[in-house]
Amino acid sequence: MARSLELRYLVRPPEQGDFRSPVHDPRVVARVGLFLGAAIVVAFLTGLVSHVHQHPLAWLPLPPTPVWGYRLTQGLHVAAGLSAIPLLLAKLYAAYPALFARPRVGSPLHALERLSVAVLVATAIFQVVTGLLNVFQWYPWSFSFVRVHLAVAWVLVGSVVVHVAVKLPVIADALRGPVLEEAGDGPTRRGFLAGVAVTVLGLTALTVGQTVPTLAGAALLSPRQAGVGPQGLPVNRTARAAGVEATAADPGWRLTVAAGARTVALSRSELLAMRQVTVELPIACVEGWSTTATWQGVRIRDLVALVHANPDVDVRVVSLQQAGSYRESVLPASHVAHPDSVLALRLGGADLDLDHGFPARLVAPGRPGVLQTKWVERIEVLG
Ligand SMILES: Nc1nc2c(c(=O)[nH]1)N[C@H]1C(S)=C(S)[C@@H](COP(=O)(O)O)O[C@H]1N2
Ligand SMILES: [Mo]
């Protein structure tokens, strides 16, 4: 019997009907697809939030509150992206016999559908692979991760829209019907869907601790654990990697605050003599971790007030670091005015570690970790 089956494939390629498992069914494909679609939409929207923080739009002000707002969107982005991996594999498994459907290309609409599926699968795989490698800070490619991950996200979402539009009648039909058709289908189809659900929930449980501090102990799959690193806080780029070991430790360091031609230069002890505030704020890194810490330092608006009458201004925060994308950031006026936006000098009751941005680093509420500039040497009032 097995032999004749093999022989059959020697004389002709497989056809859709050869795949007998009850899992290969539109009802399964549509149900998994619904959750995969939701994961893609959540990852896309939360990714856009990260993007507009880094490339602000004049008509879309980003609020500094709630202070954990960005931490939440970042956590959702990682959770949705990770969930997309088992969902994608499950959907591919359930749907792949359709590759062997006849006719290969029936109509222009059918051709469009097949093309959109090819683009969807390729871009979805690209996004989860690059996203995952980014979490591990491993970049075995020469393009800019951020730009390409964003560009491919638009293509992915476009192909999802085409795919859903073309398949809408099939999807609606499949979701309306019960999962079971025949009694014998039951355990396999239900079992498959339950297995996918358990995998997604399990992955989420093992990583959500990166965002929810009380569950940190369960974050076994997190590359950067809470509590690990100098002063109990992970480090993305060390002082050595940023090339600032000598300049940051130099006692001759001065912070320059500038508004046009007006400038003041302040030593660390002069900064420590100004009014100090203590804030509890998270560092929420786009590379998949976030941790809350207690920072002490000087309010940004107090520093701006030294050179500029009106605190309602954007400021640029520039690092001692000479090269690299994150050597400076712009703090929008809404954040400058916020009392929790500080130039931190101390972390958890001790001087900042060199790797956390000694002698001074920016910490502001509700924005990505990449914008929390370390080793600050200059604050410029813009406009
Ligand atoms: N000058 C400078 N500041 C920087 C970075 C950098 O590469 N250079 N990395 C940023 C990133 S990506 C993150 S997540 C936070 C991490 O802060 P931490 O190392 O104190 O945890 O610092 C930010 N500040
Ligand atoms: Mo980061």
Side-chain angles (χ1 to χ4, degrees), residues 150-183:
L150 174 69
V152 175
W154 283 100
V155 182
L156 170 58
V157 166
S159 65
V160 170
V161 169
V162 173
H163 181 61
V164 170
V166 175
K167 286 279 194 176
L168 207 51
V170 180
I171 297 171
D173 206 42
L175 290 179
R176 249 197 308 272
V179 184
L180 309 185
E181 195 169 51
E182 297 156 28

Side-chain angles (χ1 to χ4, degrees), residues 136-382:
F136 292 96
Q137 284 195 294
W138 181 31
Y139 305 103
W141 51 69
S142 55
F143 52 77
S144 149
F145 164 77
V146 177
R147 277 162 61 179
V148 175
H149 198 67
L150 174 69
V152 175
W154 283 100
V155 182
L156 170 58
V157 166
S159 65
V160 170
V161 169
V162 173
H163 181 61
V164 170
V166 175
K167 286 279 194 176
L168 207 51
V170 180
I171 297 171
D173 206 42
L175 290 179
R176 249 197 308 272
V179 184
L180 309 185
E181 195 169 51
E182 297 156 28
D185 297 345
T188 326
R189 252 180 227 163
R190 283 235 169 103
F192 182 78
L193 288 172
V196 174
V198 166
T199 311
V200 169
L201 293 176
L203 257 183
T204 307
L206 291 181
T207 48
V208 75
Q210 300 200 120
T211 306
V212 184
T214 45
L215 299 177
L220 300 177
L221 293 184
S222 311
R224 252 69 56 82
Q225 309 268 313
V228 175
Q231 299 176 303
L233 185 67
V235 170
N236 241 41
R237 176 158 291 130
T238 60
R240 171 190 286 262
V244 298
E245 267 178 316
T247 47
D250 181 354
W253 172 87
R254 294 289 179 277
L255 172 78
T256 303
V257 187
R262 286 199 65 181
T263 64
V264 293
L266 299 156
S267 68
R268 217 182 111 94
S269 45
E270 284 168 326
L271 285 165
L272 282 166
M274 289 178 67
R275 177 170 51 155
Q276 304 291 298
V277 292
T278 303
V279 296
E280 277 263 325
L281 285 182
I283 296 281
C285 176
V286 293
E287 278 143 353
W289 58 271
S290 57
T291 324
T292 299
T294 307
W295 311 90
Q296 282 164 306
V298 182
R299 285 195 176 124
I300 299 293
R301 66 181 191 199
D302 289 351
L303 291 168
V304 169
L306 298 176
V307 292
H308 200 263
N310 176 10
D312 190 20
V313 283
D314 295 354
V315 300
R316 174 178 291 124
V317 180
V318 185
S319 173
L320 288 167
Q321 189 185 338
Q322 295 302 305
S325 331
Y326 307 130
R327 57 178 299 272
E328 59 175 53
S329 67
V330 171
L331 191 67
S334 55
H335 286 72
V336 173
H338 195 282
D340 281 2
S341 294
V342 299
L343 185 73
L345 306 166
R346 294 164 67 80
L347 164 56
D351 283 349
L352 270 179
D353 190 276
L354 202 55
D355 286 339
H356 288 309
F358 182 91
R361 68 105 39 100
L362 175 64
V363 181
R367 62 199 318 246
V370 290
L371 302 178
Q372 313 280 34
T373 310
K374 302 196 279 193
W375 315 293
V376 173
E377 79 161 341
R378 202 177 155 80
I379 294 177
E380 291 165 18
V381 172
L382 299 174

